[in-house]
Amino acid sequence: MSFDNVWLNANLATMGDDALGLIEDGAIASKNGRIAWVGPRTGLPAHAAPVTDCGGAWILPGLVDCHTHLVFGGNRAAEFEQRLGGATYEEIARAGGGILSTMRATRAASEAQLVQAALPRLDALLREGVTTVEVKSGYGLEPETELRQLRAARALGAQRPVSIVTSLLAAHAVPPEYKGRQGEYARHVAEDIIPRAAAEHLADAVDAFFDSIGFTAEETALVFAAAQRHGLPVKLHADQLTDCGGAALAAAHGALSADHLERSNSAGIAAMARTGTVAVLLPGATLILRETHFPPIAAMREHGCRMALSTDMNPGSSPALSLLLMLNLGCTLFRMTVPEALLGVTRHAAAALGLGDRGVLAEGLRCDLALYRIQRPAELCYWLGGNPCIGRVVAGIAA
């Protein structure tokens, strides 16, 4: 058969089923950036393609970090100190810190400055085997900076071998110019910012923050209706600070994902399971905010709601540079099983972005691979601070 590249002497975690789909002594072949063959090495067809001997490494689908705020100006280390002193996330936000603090730094940064600041953060993810990263805006809160953030995100994908998926999160907070006029700002997002982002093909989805310090159900519906008019799928920050029905709201709008969900109720989780909305869990924020409410994992299992894991990399509540660390935190904090956690950064994370062409090692899908020097896949969830990644392949090409 005609292949472009072949990887031999490897063990595979195909992620094709809930037991990880393990194949020992396996092989993978690529053609035109796609997986052309995968299975036990003994069944590999005859070929003349270049071969990579993996030396017994494990191969997983390239990891997917499906919820990040990677592009921003400045940092919020001072607020981290405030929280250590007893201030809450909500108190800091209401005093003009939090998202608005990063808004000011991001508005002051050029596109080039945003790209240069984000590249080291992106590189940290790539070193761990990540091949797809979602990047949100949401720190501009006005058209020019929101679009600048999205352009910077696109530029990252041009400078590194990685797939960048963008989400417009202009409905993240109310900017100072609209203080006391939250509904008017939501209309501005719907009528002005979303159409511009769509016209310039800068956004792959639209996100919103629905919570006690976020937008109302009516305002979120207005934003989502505008997204859908422009052919953009939607996502939702939901139920992080209060159980305000965010899980059910996301399901009602057919959202790709609902993210956070620390205080979601079982009925909302059941609604998500029915619509296929993925639950994106963010243990980095749980750790940094010293949160005592954990996502309702038992309800997600009971109702069959798919669970993804992500860094939530952002300057305030989750300055996390490691998706592998999130695997450990998902298991230790949230009590996820190893298969649940690993599916959460591959197959289910891809589903949270609406990407059906990756996250599984299967013929016809993108040949995005992550190679690890480990004895068993559980080690990816076990080690704290280690990085056993020895290689990445993006669309069939070693990166």
Side-chain angles (χ1 to χ4, degrees), residues 326-349:
M326 297 306 110
L327 287 172
N328 180 277
L329 294 180
C331 293
T332 56
L333 287 181
F334 296 166
R335 311 309 297 171
M336 298 174 77
T337 66
V338 166
E340 286 171 342
L342 291 175
L343 287 164
V345 296
T346 53
R347 191 173 89 198
H348 295 165

Side-chain angles (χ1 to χ4, degrees), residues 24-92:
E24 295 187 0
D25 193 16
I28 299 175
S30 70
K31 182 71 175 179
N32 298 325
R34 302 263 166 180
I35 296 174
W37 191 91
V38 59
R41 177 165 56 168
T42 55
L44 179 68
H47 63 88
V51 171
T52 297
D53 186 330
C54 299
W58 279 87
I59 299 180
L60 274 71
L63 306 190
V64 178
D65 197 351
C66 63
H67 179 132
T68 86
H69 305 254
L70 185 73
V71 173
F72 57 85
N75 67 65
R76 303 221 295 267
E79 292 179 12
F80 176 72
E81 292 184 274
Q82 286 180 276
R83 288 199 302 273
L84 292 176
T88 68
Y89 182 76
E90 189 167 355
E91 287 169 348
I92 291 170

